[in-house]
Amino acid sequence: FEEALLALNELGYAVDAIVLNALHWTPQSRVRLFVVAQSGTNEKEPTSTLVSDARPQAMVDFINGHPNIRWAIRDLPPLPPPCTRLADIIEDLPDDDPHWWSKERADYFMNQMSVKHQEQARRMVEGRLFTYATAFRRVRNKRSMAELRTDGIAGCLRTPRGGSGRQILLKAGRGKYQVRLLTARECARLQGVPESYPIKVPLNQALLGFGDAVCVPAVEWI
């Protein structure tokens, strides 16, 4: 990181560095480091950069510990509070939509969970209203496990390479449950992409694109 910033300095840029989580704009946990490089700036030497919403302690320590880097540290406003939840971006697909997995495949998914996550899923199924959770498959002790996230925030979108990068959606309540992958449009919404943006490619290609993207409103905030 130091070498990259010094290389930008050599090209005539002073630099700033911030860390943003997409969950301030969309219901996705996506922490990313952004470097803002500016040429021709009359930067000030950072004296005591302080921790803020967009500068966690580790970043502040790095900035204060590297006076050899030519910084252009900005005063940043507070980040907006999270205002959307996973349920807000879910497409309302009918029960017979082909995106939903078969009962056998859904049951297999449920049986892949640890006892803790199965208990969370059971509470969702028993709920009076339908609720949503996401999951990734991970290898734990040489066994493929489904790990559930039930806090109303999707996990970080990934590219679908390798098979474990596809994010799974669980819809449960009223004694029932259904399972499928997130759709391309849902992934677009998690990245803050407007509804008018056309998606004309196969699902895997769309997931690859959105998994490699940055969250649009986070960049707009910058």
Side-chain angles (χ1 to χ4, degrees), residues 12-70:
Y13 294 95
V15 294
D16 194 0
I18 57 179
V19 178
L20 301 180
N21 193 334
L23 62 77
H24 289 277
W25 298 274
T26 71
Q28 179 194 183
S29 176
R30 188 180 192 85
V31 180
R32 291 294 183 268
L33 165 66
F34 294 89
V35 173
V36 180
Q38 183 176 352
S39 64
T41 180
N42 295 319
E43 73 282 355
K44 299 177 182 178
E45 290 294 328
T47 53
S48 182
T49 303
L50 301 177
V51 173
S52 65
D53 286 354
R55 287 202 184 90
Q57 186 66 58
M59 180 57 67
V60 169
D61 292 343
F62 182 90
I63 293 172
N64 292 335
H66 288 80
N68 57 318
I69 295 172
R70 188 156 57 91

Side-chain angles (χ1 to χ4, degrees), residues 90-167:
I90 297 300
E91 291 193 273
D92 186 18
L93 303 181
D95 290 348
D96 60 353
D97 188 281
H99 282 88
W100 293 113
W101 291 355
S102 67
K103 183 179 184 305
E104 293 74 19
R105 190 178 179 189
D107 289 346
Y108 179 76
F109 164 79
M110 298 292 273
N111 290 326
Q112 279 189 301
M113 297 181 198
S114 66
V115 173
K116 173 185 174 183
H117 289 175
Q118 283 181 340
E119 176 61 22
Q120 291 175 327
R122 183 189 64 79
R123 289 197 295 269
M124 289 176 61
V125 172
E126 293 176 352
R128 291 188 300 170
L129 300 174
F130 286 114
T131 55
Y132 300 92
T134 59
F136 282 111
R137 286 196 177 98
R138 293 185 171 90
V139 176
R140 304 293 187 192
N141 298 319
K142 300 182 179 180
R143 179 187 170 195
S144 178
M145 302 286 289
E147 298 186 352
L148 205 60
R149 179 165 187 157
T150 60
D151 61 354
I153 302 295
C156 183
L157 291 180
R158 308 174 189 171
T159 62
R161 292 194 181 101
S164 64
R166 295 174 177 86
Q167 195 157 183

Side-chain angles (χ1 to χ4, degrees), residues 168-201:
I168 301 166
L169 177 75
L170 170 65
K171 175 184 178 181
R174 302 174 184 173
K176 301 186 296 184
Y177 61 86
Q178 293 174 287
V179 184
R180 61 172 171 83
L181 298 177
L182 289 179
T183 67
R185 179 57 63 187
E186 289 163 348
C187 292
R189 291 169 179 170
L190 288 174
Q191 292 287 44
V193 175
E195 294 295 299
S196 59
Y197 185 84
I199 302 174
K200 301 179 180 180
V201 296

